[in-house]
Amino acid sequence: MFDWMAWTLPVAVFFTCIVLMLVGMAVWELKSPTTMRKGFLPLETTRGDRLFIGLLSAAYVNLIFVGISGKLAQWFSLQGDPSIWISFVVSMALLALIMRKG
């Protein structure tokens, strides 16, 4: 069923984190309804809005990293492409920043 996708460990961890975040946000919303808040984002957002914006940002960070990983290996004279774990950590840090301060 999932033969079309390369299920590597980083991909599985990334999607597992997304599912856990969605479940956690649903429970959090049931326990404590959200209110609108203004952070560094140019609009008032709820927790769900910030999660959506953060997940989109995380996906773009990962896609950009995959797109330029060959160039990074060439620029820094690496033996192979840099680890995808780098983009995972950066994207999760960006997501945390958006959730906390956005």
Side-chain angles (χ1 to χ4, degrees):
M1 180 175 173
F2 293 110
D3 293 340
W4 60 272
M5 184 163 186
W7 283 102
T8 61
L9 182 61
V11 170
V13 169
F14 184 75
F15 282 105
T16 302
C17 287
I18 290 173
V19 169
L20 290 174
M21 279 186 282
L22 291 173
V23 170
M25 288 293 288
V27 171
W28 190 8
E29 185 66 29
L30 290 173
K31 296 286 184 184
S32 169
T34 189
T35 59
M36 299 295 275
R37 187 182 73 152
K38 180 87 167 101
F40 69 83
L41 295 171
L43 63 152
E44 288 189 3
T45 58
T46 63
R47 283 189 297 252
D49 297 334
R50 289 188 302 276
L51 178 65
F52 180 73
I53 293 167
L55 287 174
L56 282 176
S57 301
Y60 285 127
V61 165
N62 280 300
L63 287 173
I64 289 168
F65 185 83
V66 168
I68 66 169
S69 62
K71 291 286 186 189
L72 290 174
Q74 186 179 19
W75 292 337
F76 296 115
S77 302
L78 302 174
Q79 296 295 330
D81 288 346
S83 174
I84 196 73
W85 288 108
I86 296 168
S87 69
F88 176 76
V89 170
V90 170
S91 65
M92 289 298 110
L94 177 63
L95 175 62
L97 175 71
I98 291 172
M99 288 297 294
R100 182 79 179 145
K101 302 285 184 183

